[in-house]
């Protein structure tokens, strides 16, 4: 039962993993939904001090999950340069760790715009399907992405993160500022951090590679689509609020006349 527990994607035998939306996959998705609902209800009732403690605890769990992976890989002698914390989700761990202690608007937008869709995509289309449930890297991959999604999702639902279009350019600039040196590291080490070298089986990136011969050309399209999906509800809500305020002001003016 535990014969594959300490294997990785590079060493695991073929045919022992799981498939998209089978019972194993659905188990993690259901757990995500249950935790999201329960923790949102808890967080909503906390005081400001309680919310700060909650954020720090949740961020600490994410860091502990990453350390579990690193220590496990080192213990079995399978840690390689490919596990350096330069993947997008590893970058999000750092961003969340900073945000837990010192939240600010640009980082709010970054977590909302980048961390939520990246973590959700990883959970919906995981790239660790080669690994069975009883495997330490499978457990890490599923739990760390759930935690990475829960942090910004809970804060957004409960009103602590309020995305602003005016902060979007700086948030995307922060992402680009990290991607440029990471691309250089990819070339230097021959790795694929942030999927900058090859699609690595990610469906949208595979599509763009087939369409244009280079998946990187699809990043602007993908980012634009994510921005539209993520910000349209906020823009609509803002317009509705403005219309209501205008209507209320007009009615008040009529009453005064």
């Amino acid at each position: 039962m535990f014969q594959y527990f300490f294997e990785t994607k590079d060493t695991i035998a073929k045919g022992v993993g799981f498939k998209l939306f089978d019972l194993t996959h659905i188990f993690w998705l259901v757990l995500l939904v249950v935790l999201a609902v329960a923790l949102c209800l808890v967080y909503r009732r906390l005081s400001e001090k309680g919310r700060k403690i909650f954020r720090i605890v949740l961020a600490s769990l994410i860091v502990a999950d990453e350390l579990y992976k690193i220590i496990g890989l080192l213990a079995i002698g399978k840690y390689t340069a490919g596990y350096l914390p330069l993947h997008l989700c590893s970058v999000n761990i750092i961003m969340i760790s900073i945000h837990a202690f010192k939240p600010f608007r640009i980082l709010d937008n970054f977590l909302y715009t980048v961390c939520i869709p990246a973590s959700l995509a990883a959970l919906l289309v995981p790239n660790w399907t080669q690994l069975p449930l009883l495997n330490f890297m499978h457990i890490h991959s599923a739990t760390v992405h759930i935690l990475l999604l829960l942090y910004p999702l809970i804060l957004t639902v409960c009103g602590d993160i309020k995305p602003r279009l005016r902060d979007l350019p700086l948030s995307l600039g922060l992402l680009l500022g990290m991607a440029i040196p990471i691309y250089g590291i990819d070339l230097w080490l021959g790795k694929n951090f942030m999927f900058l070298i090859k699609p690595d089986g990610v469906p949208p990136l595979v599509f763009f590679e087939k369409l244009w011969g280079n998946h990187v050309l699809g990043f602007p399209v993908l980012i634009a689509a994510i921005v539209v999906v993520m910000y349209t509800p906020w823009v609509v809500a803002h317009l509705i609020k403005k219309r209501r305020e205008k209507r209320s002001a007009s009615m008040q003016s009529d009453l005064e006349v």
Side-chain angles (χ1 to χ4, degrees):
M1 182 179 293
F2 292 95
Q3 60 179 318
Y4 301 114
F5 190 80
F6 290 109
E7 300 296 335
T8 67
K9 291 193 299 182
D10 299 324
T11 63
I12 193 77
K14 292 184 178 181
V16 299
F18 67 100
K19 297 180 180 179
L20 295 182
F21 302 106
D22 66 1
L23 288 178
T24 297
H25 192 192
I26 291 173
F27 162 75
W28 290 116
L29 296 178
V30 170
L31 180 62
L32 166 66
V33 173
V34 171
L35 287 175
V37 173
L39 293 179
C40 278
L41 292 174
V42 171
Y43 192 80
R44 189 181 294 274
R45 298 183 179 183
L46 295 176
S47 64
E48 184 59 36
K49 182 179 180 180
R51 288 189 173 197
K52 183 175 182 179
I53 294 173
F54 183 100
R55 293 195 300 267
I56 292 173
V57 170
L58 187 52
S60 298
L61 288 175
I62 296 172
V63 173
D65 202 323
E66 183 70 6
L67 289 175
Y68 156 80
K69 177 196 77 173
I70 294 172
I71 293 171
L73 289 169
L74 288 172
I76 61 177
K78 294 181 180 179
Y79 188 89
T80 66
Y83 292 108
L84 290 171
L86 297 174
H87 293 287
L88 183 56
C89 288
S90 298
V91 169
N92 286 331
I93 292 174
I94 298 171
M95 296 295 113
I96 286 175
S97 299
I98 296 171
H99 188 275
F101 290 93
K102 188 65 175 179
F104 53 94
R105 279 169 39 189
I106 295 174
L107 196 48
D108 284 351
N109 266 50
F110 183 91
L111 294 181
Y112 177 78
T113 309
V114 177
C115 189
I116 288 180
S119 302
L120 182 59
L123 289 166
L124 290 177
V125 192
N127 67 350
W128 59 90
T129 54
Q130 307 97 313
L131 304 173
L133 177 60
L134 294 178
N135 174 274
F136 87 106
M137 281 298 293
H138 176 123
I139 295 170
H140 158 73
S141 298
T143 55
V144 78
H145 285 99
I146 287 175
L147 292 171
L148 283 170
L149 177 56
L150 286 176
Y151 184 96
L153 182 63
I154 292 169
L155 269 60
T156 302
V157 171
C158 296
D160 282 359
I161 287 180
K162 298 177 180 178
R164 303 170 190 262
L165 274 173
R166 72 184 72 171
D167 296 325
L168 183 60
L170 288 175
S171 298
L172 294 180
L174 179 60
L175 178 63
L176 179 62
M178 291 184 290
I180 292 174
I182 288 176
Y183 178 71
I185 294 173
D186 279 338
L187 295 176
W188 177 39
L189 297 178
K191 301 301 178 183
N192 189 38
F193 300 118
M194 293 182 71
F195 304 109
L196 294 174
I197 302 299
K198 57 184 179 181
D200 201 20
V202 178
L205 300 183
V206 171
F207 170 77
F208 290 129
E209 184 178 51
K210 291 181 179 178
L211 183 64
W212 291 320
N214 189 334
H215 71 288
V216 175
L217 298 176
F219 277 124
V221 177
L222 187 60
I223 292 172
I226 290 172
V227 168
V228 169
V229 171
M230 298 293 285
Y231 282 86
T232 295
W234 296 94
V235 172
V236 171
H238 177 73
L239 293 175
I240 292 174
K241 180 181 178 181
K242 286 293 185 182
R243 181 174 297 181
R244 287 177 177 174
E245 290 176 350
K246 185 177 181 180
R247 185 180 301 170
S248 177
S250 177
M251 291 176 63
Q252 185 66 29
S253 178
D254 292 341
L255 289 174
E256 291 176 355
V257 173

